[in-house]
Amino acid sequence: MQAIKRNILLNPGPSTTTDTVKYAQVVPDVCPREKEFAGLMKGLREDLVRIVHGDLQKYTSVLFCGSGTINIDVAINSLLPEGKKVLVLDNGAYSARAAEVCQYYGLPCIDLKFPVDQRPDLDKAEEVLEENPDIGLVHTTHNETGTGILNPIREIGALAHKYGATFTVDTTSTYAMRPIHIEEDNIDFCMASAQKGLMAFTGLSFIVGNRELIERSKGYPKRSYYCNLAMQYDFFERTGEMHFTPPVQAIYAAIQAMKEYWAEGEEAKWARHTRVFNAINEGLDEMGFRQVVRPEWRAGLVSSAIYPDDPNWDFEKVHDYCYERGFTIYPGKISATDTFRLCALGAIDEADIKDFFIVFKEALAATGVKMPVVYRDRKGEAG
Ligand SMILES: *Cc1c(COP(=O)(O)O)cnc(C)c1O
């Protein structure tokens, strides 16, 4: 096996993969309608439930061919009963995406917005649930990848259930990284895609959730031909296959990535991501960068640094300097503040971050940015 050039991706997914996962895609041509392939998907579906400690009797996983956003689309359009409303607890770009899905499907939605550097106010959420007994689905994001803030999903799930609503959580940027316990965390449905925590490839996404609720949703309005959860679940249960053509190579890679996940172990993997995250924050702190999210609210996977007030600061130039040297950094996703992100996803470790900061400092020096970096006012200082 020839080594493939290793790039350190510090963007919020797709993430750096191992060569063994890359090569797992190179297989003899196969028709995915063969029993052999269905068998592979069965094992993968079960493992996806095991990652969140789900009981296989009660929980299942349903695979889709698409990037992570397909899960949000599917979950929202499939799990809302007729005549009910969606409540989105929205403190960032990814939760806002769920509210947009509602808009596109013409579904009634309360988009309960909170500042992007704050956690959702649960008293406020409860007030809304009390006033709107027709809320049938509550949705939020676990790690709001736009900023890196961790939302209190266990408490939000308890609230949703207290008011009889289904709780869907976008765990795309925590799944297979930060440990999740689907039942204890009061999650009815969570979701992710293979290119993030699993450290495999884009094209395979999955929703993990409660079988009984999927069964019940068979009676809900069918709002999409391609993106319906009960339809896809039913097809899997009856035939072991996806309704339409699966992303064959992405599935082979995900199966290899799954082997590597169990070999590394949940705890050791989370410890590694934490090491990487700490190294990122230490590097940023040392250079004087301020961040959007206060330390105690960070999900431990995404750092959002605020652009310094230096006339020479030019994100594009810094990005290009790093990119040419094998390190990818990423712009932020907040409209009011200019930020960039460094993420702890992927098959990387502390030493890669040390190497990155050498290059990053060179980039700042080469573009004439003063170090430690300077800020004009006190913005972001609390974090
Ligand atoms: C990455 C991500 C997604 C999916 O984005 P795609 O570009 O569709 O893969 C969805 N939600 C969160 C929280 C994410 O981090």
Side-chain angles (χ1 to χ4, degrees):
M1 196 174 78
Q2 201 183 332
I4 297 171
K5 178 176 179 259
R6 187 161 175 268
N7 287 330
I8 304 302
L9 301 188
L10 301 175
N11 47 296
S15 54
T16 297
T17 57
T18 61
D19 281 358
T20 38
V21 167
K22 290 184 191 80
Y23 277 112
Q25 298 177 103
V26 184
V27 291
D29 293 319
V30 60
C31 170
R33 297 300 181 199
E34 292 299 328
K35 276 202 235 25
E36 181 193 345
F37 196 77
L40 290 177
M41 283 198 288
K42 182 169 189 291
L44 178 63
R45 285 180 63 209
E46 291 173 356
D47 273 339
L48 291 169
V49 177
R50 288 189 187 103
I51 284 188
V52 289
H53 303 271
D55 169 359
L56 288 165
Q57 297 295 315
K58 184 167 176 192
Y59 298 96
T60 187
S61 77
V62 184
L63 313 181
F64 292 90
C65 181
S67 79
T69 304
I70 198 171
N71 294 323
I72 307 176
D73 185 319
V74 169
I76 301 259
N77 96 63
S78 307
L79 293 166
L80 184 69
E82 179 84 271
K84 297 277 190 176
K85 249 185 222 161
V86 176
L87 169 64
V88 178
L89 301 191
D90 175 355
N91 58 343
Y94 288 91
S95 291
R97 197 172 284 183
E100 274 174 17
V101 167
C102 294
Q103 203 179 43
Y104 275 59
Y105 280 103
L107 300 175
C109 170
I110 300 174
D111 183 11
L112 190 58
K113 283 193 178 293
F114 300 99
V116 296
D117 59 350
Q118 300 292 315
R119 306 205 296 176
D121 175 346
L122 298 190
D123 291 336
K124 183 74 203 149
E126 179 151 20
E127 230 171 77
V128 172
L129 280 159
E130 232 161 26
E131 285 164 7
N132 297 272
D134 58 347
I135 290 171
L137 191 156
V138 175
H139 178 93
T140 198
T141 308
H142 191 197
N143 168 22
E144 174 47 70
T145 322
T147 54
I149 198 166
L150 183 72
N151 285 331
I153 53 168
R154 190 173 291 198
E155 291 76 10
I156 297 170
L159 259 186
H161 292 159
K162 180 174 168 192
Y163 291 88
T166 295
F167 183 42
T168 61
V169 193
D170 181 352
T171 52
T172 313
S173 58
T174 44
Y175 181 97
M177 293 179 282
R178 197 181 170 95
I180 294 171
H181 196 297
I182 191 164
E183 187 139 28
E184 286 171 16
D185 286 333
N186 297 318
I187 298 170
D188 294 316
F189 295 92
C190 58
M191 58 195 76
S193 42
Q195 79 274 17
K196 299 221 176 167
L198 264 185
M199 314 194 303
F201 295 105
T202 312
L204 174 68
S205 293
F206 41 86
I207 295 179
V208 183
N210 187 303
R211 283 182 193 272
E212 206 182 296
L213 290 175
I214 301 179
E215 291 288 349
R216 202 181 298 167
S217 78
K218 287 180 181 169
Y220 300 171
K222 305 246 170 336
R223 302 176 175 104
S224 169
Y225 179 72
Y226 194 80
C227 298
N228 182 268
L229 184 61
M231 177 270 284
Q232 187 84 321
Y233 170 74
D234 199 51
F235 219 82
F236 266 120
E237 293 297 299
R238 283 188 296 109
T239 69
E241 296 180 15
M242 272 194 199
H243 194 174
F244 304 107
T245 307
V248 175
Q249 279 66 29
I251 288 174
Y252 278 106
I255 288 166
Q256 174 61 28
M258 186 64 84
K259 282 187 199 143
E260 295 177 16
Y261 176 87
W262 297 123
E264 183 171 16
E266 178 183 58
E267 226 174 286
K269 188 171 188 288
W270 176 231
R272 177 171 58 77
H273 290 303
T274 303
R275 270 198 306 279
V276 170
F277 185 68
N278 290 341
I280 290 172
N281 289 322
E282 279 160 27
L284 287 172
D285 288 349
E286 189 204 318
M287 293 173 76
F289 279 99
R290 292 182 190 163
Q291 294 189 38
V292 176
V293 180
R294 62 174 75 176
E296 65 273 27
W297 288 351
R298 294 175 192 162
L301 291 157
V302 176
S303 294
S304 257
I306 300 171
Y307 282 4
D309 293 315
D310 186 310
N312 289 334
W313 170 262
D314 182 332
F315 177 79
E316 281 304 313
K317 281 190 189 155
V318 173
H319 165 275
D320 293 353
Y321 187 98
C322 296
Y323 185 78
E324 282 157 20
R325 289 155 183 81
F327 297 93
T328 303
I329 64 175
Y330 206 68
K333 224 179 183 26
I334 308 174
S335 46
T337 318
D338 282 329
T339 57
F340 66 95
R341 286 177 288 174
L342 301 177
C343 306
L345 280 63
I348 59 176
D349 211 332
E350 216 174 356
D352 298 310
I353 303 304
K354 296 246 164 12
D355 292 344
F356 162 71
F357 273 103
I358 295 170
V359 170
F360 187 55
K361 283 179 190 161
E362 276 173 22
L364 265 61
T367 51
V369 176
K370 211 191 282 169
M371 278 183 283
V373 296
V374 292
Y375 291 93
R376 218 172 19 240
D377 52 31
R378 304 175 64 83
K379 71 186 165 192
E381 227 175 16

